[in-house]
Amino acid sequence: MNAPSAVREQVTWRALIVAGVLFVAAYFVARGWIETAEPRSGEALAAALLPVPFFGFLLLTFVRGVRSMDELERRIQLEALAVAFPCAILIAFVVGLLHLAGFHGTNDFDPPRLWPLLLLPYWFGIVVARRRYA
């Protein structure tokens, strides 16, 4: 790896971490704000939509990072996403069905509290793909 690509990789990782932290912070600010806002009000709508631009920034940063990767790293990312996407769909519809079946509440299968589960299949896919190509 030559020096310019190493510097570019460092900048990409920093930007991705900053974008991720901003998104997570915006999410938790929105969660807190929604708890104090009147349901179905303009304020509640603004709170619910607060994380959207931060997620857009995170997505843009991730795409830029993937574009700067070499072919092997792109393949690893593709395999991780090939595992993560169907798993995320499975998690989303099972949680939704559990919610409809009456298994919901403040600490149960409440969909907004379970979104971190959607990250686990991606990380699992990264580990499996890295082992495969090691």
Side-chain angles (χ1 to χ4, degrees):
M1 181 181 309
N2 59 22
S5 65
V7 170
R8 186 174 61 231
E9 185 174 308
Q10 273 186 332
V11 170
T12 301
W13 275 108
R14 284 186 194 143
L16 191 57
I17 290 168
V18 167
V21 167
L22 287 173
F23 168 67
V24 170
Y27 174 81
F28 284 111
V29 166
R31 287 286 304 191
W33 188 10
I34 287 172
E35 299 291 329
T36 63
E38 181 71 30
R40 296 182 178 254
S41 67
E43 182 182 7
L45 178 63
L49 296 177
L50 175 68
V52 172
F54 294 97
F55 186 79
F57 177 60
L58 176 62
L59 181 61
L60 179 66
T61 304
F62 184 77
V63 169
R64 285 181 180 165
V66 169
R67 287 181 180 162
S68 71
M69 292 175 183
D70 63 19
E71 291 301 316
L72 177 60
E73 191 61 34
R74 284 184 187 184
R75 186 173 182 116
I76 290 169
Q77 293 296 322
L78 178 63
E79 286 191 27
L81 290 171
V83 168
F85 184 70
C87 288
I89 291 171
L90 176 67
I91 291 167
F93 86 71
V94 168
V95 168
L97 290 173
L98 288 170
H99 190 77
L100 290 173
F103 296 96
H104 54 83
T106 56
N107 294 318
D108 293 331
F109 298 104
D110 189 13
R113 287 184 173 83
L114 295 177
W115 68 265
L117 284 178
L118 300 177
L119 298 174
L120 295 177
Y122 171 70
W123 292 333
F124 175 75
I126 290 285
V127 169
V128 169
R130 286 201 189 286
R131 282 188 176 168
R132 181 175 180 192
Y133 294 109

